[in-house]
Amino acid sequence: MQSSKAPASMEVETREHKSQGALPAKPKFEPLKAHEMSDGRVQFRKVSVPPHRYSPLKKAWMEIYTPIYEQMKIDVRMNLKARKVELKTRSDTPDVSNLQKCADFVHAFMLDVKTLRGEHLSRAIGRLSGKGGKTKFAIENATKTRIVIADTKIHILGSFQNIKVARDSLCSLILGSPAGKVYSKLRQVTARLAERF
């Protein structure tokens, strides 16, 4: 016959707790320095420089270099052979996240952004809205977002993934893709998103 008691899976040690004494004091540790968080290892980031941004980077190098080196305490150099901007942490870098912030800052400079003005801006807004707002509504309904076009700004409300799809569609329209091509791409992407859920 088997006993009805289940075998003990662990041993429990009981001690009498002194009711008068309080819990032991918490140990106090000094805050870790940035180089101690990464076990003293130096971290690197490399940002590629496209050919058309090489000259502007040369002209604006000191304006990029100064805040990165002096304020964020990150070493930065331009590797001419590989055509990359290289960033690395130093022992006196106050926060390890500064490296990623600086890499994003340099990457943003590499993007060639042009501001639309006058007739070009009017044409872009017209392409985004479509006849009677048809294009805007189609993108909103397909991506389950809300789009507000206010003067030179576009606001998109929705989930992260849906905002990304809507933003890509709007960017394609601004850059000159035909509305029909944008609609067909939207159908494909939304079908894929629907399969995930």
Side-chain angles (χ1 to χ4, degrees):
M1 292 212 121
Q2 293 180 355
S3 66
S4 60
K5 276 183 159 181
S9 60
M10 70 172 139
E11 294 180 22
V12 179
E13 185 179 322
T14 57
R15 288 186 184 176
E16 288 186 33
H17 183 64
K18 295 177 184 175
S19 59
Q20 294 174 350
L23 292 173
K26 288 184 180 178
K28 292 183 181 175
F29 297 108
E30 292 294 318
L32 289 175
K33 293 183 175 65
H35 67 280
E36 291 172 338
M37 283 185 205
S38 59
D39 297 330
R41 287 178 287 155
V42 176
Q43 294 185 13
F44 292 93
R45 295 283 189 284
K46 293 180 182 181
V47 181
S48 298
V49 181
H52 70 284
R53 297 300 290 163
Y54 199 63
S55 300
L57 180 64
K58 269 183 168 176
K59 289 177 187 168
W61 179 252
M62 286 312 291
E63 292 153 23
I64 294 171
Y65 174 84
T66 307
I68 291 175
Y69 186 79
E70 292 177 1
Q71 293 172 10
M72 302 296 263
K73 308 272 192 252
I74 298 287
D75 283 337
V76 59
R77 73 175 184 176
M78 176 66 196
N79 186 337
L80 296 172
K81 208 171 215 177
R83 287 204 170 198
K84 292 180 189 271
V85 175
E86 298 174 346
L87 304 145
K88 75 172 187 172
T89 56
R90 304 188 316 215
S91 59
D92 64 334
T93 303
D95 189 6
V96 181
S97 66
N98 284 1
L99 181 64
Q100 187 59 47
K101 289 176 188 172
C102 292
D104 292 342
F105 174 66
V106 173
H107 180 72
F109 182 82
M110 298 309 156
L111 300 173
D112 191 16
V113 179
K114 292 178 183 172
T115 306
L116 296 174
R117 288 190 176 86
E119 194 177 310
H120 299 292
L121 178 63
S122 306
R123 190 178 299 118
I125 291 170
R127 289 177 57 74
L128 295 176
S129 306
K131 190 174 181 179
K134 179 186 165 195
T135 307
K136 185 183 109 166
F137 290 132
I139 294 171
E140 284 180 342
N141 294 334
T143 58
K144 296 179 184 148
T145 57
R146 286 292 158 253
I147 300 169
V148 178
I149 301 171
D151 196 27
T152 58
K153 290 187 167 67
I154 301 169
H155 305 279
I156 308 172
L157 301 169
S159 70
F160 178 78
Q161 216 168 20
N162 293 347
I163 288 173
K164 186 178 184 315
V165 173
R167 189 183 63 217
D168 291 344
S169 301
L170 293 172
C171 289
S172 298
L173 285 168
I174 290 171
L175 293 172
S177 292
K181 191 173 182 180
V182 173
Y183 291 151
S184 62
K185 182 151 184 146
L186 261 176
R187 276 189 219 102
Q188 291 173 355
V189 172
T190 50
R192 254 187 280 142
L193 283 175
E195 286 174 10
R196 283 187 191 171
F197 296 111

